[in-house]
């Protein structure tokens, strides 16, 4: 048994085996980050490569996502620390036009672990909804996620709308997702960029504690 079997169970679209193998790895003392990165996330990368190569299609991608999520659920208690003092509130979502949520959900878990009250707006979130929720929950940070190059412009439009709503004195903006990088974040005027979920928790703390 190794993280390889977790990886293979995601590839085989077998959620029950993913749950069993993740539990077995935890019991064997394998590092949680290794199970996540080398088992679950690496499998999604392979699924993405196969999709790009035309070897697999949207239904399989969807089933892979479902399968991976079952493993993340098992890991969740190990990723969120208990007794962490609350440092602030973050309103987060995947921007309008984008339905990808696995990465954003992992970011939510790590933000909770970093001490944030997380208000998750889900996927395909309109810019107006981010603004309404930030006001309603007195958010310290708005988090914008996207996985598609075609919705990078929506991230930019959402930042512009938040600026126009006059929220920037009280709210910081954190952006992330595979097609984004620090240069893009700087260009659109976001306060922070994080390449992965762990970095998102760290960056969010820096944004509120600075
Ligand atoms: Co889609 N998809 N997909 N997909 N999908 C990608 C993203 C793609 C790269 C696959 C490929 O072609 N190789 C490609 C995008 C290409 C591009 O834009 N350049 C793609 C495409 C094209 C599409 C469709 C257009 C396909 C179609 O319909 N023809 C379609 C779009 C639908 C839409 O959104 N409108 C589509 C649909 C889907 C499914 C619904 C079937 C499913 C998503 C299910 C779900 O999420 N519930 C799906 C999946 C599963 C994928 C891949 C295979 C896996 C994504 C994933 O979960 N990765 C993906 C290929 C890939 O990523 N290798 C692909 C694992 C996850 C842990 O990583 O999401 O990167 P990631 O999150 C990371 C970081 O990015 C970062 O931290 C996370 C954790 O470490 N991060 C943040 C993310 N958000 C952050 C926010 C932050 C900070 C960090 O601060 C706020």
């Amino acid at each position: 048994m190794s993280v390889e079997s977790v990886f293979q169970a995601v590839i085989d679209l077998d959620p029950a085996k993913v749950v069993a193998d993740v539990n077995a790895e935890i019991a064997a003392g394998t590092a949680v980050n290794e199970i996540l990165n080398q088992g679950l996330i690496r499998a999604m990368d392979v699924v993405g490569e196969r999709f790009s190569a035309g070897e697999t299609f949207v239904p399989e991608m969807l089933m892979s996502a479902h399968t991976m999520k079952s493993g993340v659920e098992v890991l969740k208690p190990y990723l969120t620390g208990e007794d962490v003092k609350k440092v602030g509130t973050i309103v987060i979502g995947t921007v309008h036009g984008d339905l990808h949520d696995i990465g954003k959900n992992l970011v939510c878990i790590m933000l909770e672990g970093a001490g944030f009250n997380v208000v998750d707006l889900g996927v395909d979130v309109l810019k107006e909804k981010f603004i309404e929720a930030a006001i309603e929950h007195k958010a310290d940070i708005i988090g914008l996620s996207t996985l598609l190059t075609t919705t990078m412009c929506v991230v930019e439009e959402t930042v512009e709308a938040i600026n126009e709503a006059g929220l920037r004195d009280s709210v910081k903006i954190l952006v992330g997702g595979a097609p984004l990088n620090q240069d893009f974040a700087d260009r659109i005027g976001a306060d922070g960029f994080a390449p992965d979920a762990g970095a998102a928790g760290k960056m969010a703390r820096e944004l509120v504690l600075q």
Side-chain angles (χ1 to χ4, degrees):
M1 184 70 68
S2 70
V3 285
E4 199 57 33
S5 92
V6 173
F7 167 83
Q8 195 56 50
V10 178
I11 297 291
D12 293 343
L13 303 177
D14 188 342
K17 189 159 189 322
V18 168
V19 169
D21 289 355
V22 169
N23 274 316
E25 285 306 309
I26 291 168
T30 306
V32 169
N33 275 340
E34 192 184 338
I35 304 171
L36 179 65
N37 293 323
Q38 296 306 315
L40 300 174
I41 294 182
R42 186 163 62 94
M44 298 311 286
D45 288 342
V46 170
V47 172
E49 284 159 19
R50 290 181 180 173
F51 178 78
S52 295
E55 295 164 3
T56 190
F57 302 96
V58 171
E60 287 90 344
M61 274 211 289
L62 201 50
M63 286 158 74
S64 308
H66 169 72
T67 308
M68 186 203 167
K69 280 181 182 180
S70 59
V72 172
E73 279 306 309
V74 180
L75 289 181
K76 188 173 174 185
Y78 300 89
L79 294 168
T80 51
E82 286 175 10
D83 299 331
V84 184
K85 195 166 165 281
K86 290 286 173 233
V87 289
T89 295
I90 179 162
V91 160
I92 186 169
T94 303
V95 299
H96 182 48
D98 189 342
L99 302 175
H100 295 86
D101 70 355
I102 294 179
K104 184 264 300 163
N105 293 346
L106 275 173
V107 169
C108 289
I109 291 171
M110 297 311 280
L111 287 167
E112 281 176 24
F116 283 87
N117 170 34
V118 178
V119 180
D120 182 2
L121 302 178
V123 298
D124 194 19
V125 181
L126 291 166
K127 53 193 176 190
E128 295 82 4
K129 183 75 191 157
F130 280 107
I131 292 167
E132 278 167 29
I135 294 169
E136 182 187 342
H137 297 280
K138 300 185 172 51
D140 301 286
I141 302 177
I142 295 176
L144 306 175
S145 174
T146 199
L147 263 277
L148 299 171
T149 46
T150 47
T151 45
M152 288 170 70
C153 58
V154 183
V155 176
E156 183 170 8
E157 286 162 18
T158 307
V159 171
E160 281 166 7
I162 296 166
N163 294 344
E164 283 162 18
L167 293 182
R168 288 306 283 281
D169 286 344
S170 55
V171 179
K172 298 276 176 17
I173 300 177
L174 174 65
V175 298
L180 310 190
N181 57 32
Q182 187 64 56
D183 284 349
F184 177 79
D186 292 342
R187 187 176 65 71
I188 66 170
D191 299 288
F193 161 77
D196 57 49
K202 196 163 168 278
M203 175 56 73
R205 280 184 78 93
E206 280 173 24
L207 290 178
V208 292
L209 299 174
Q210 71 189 2

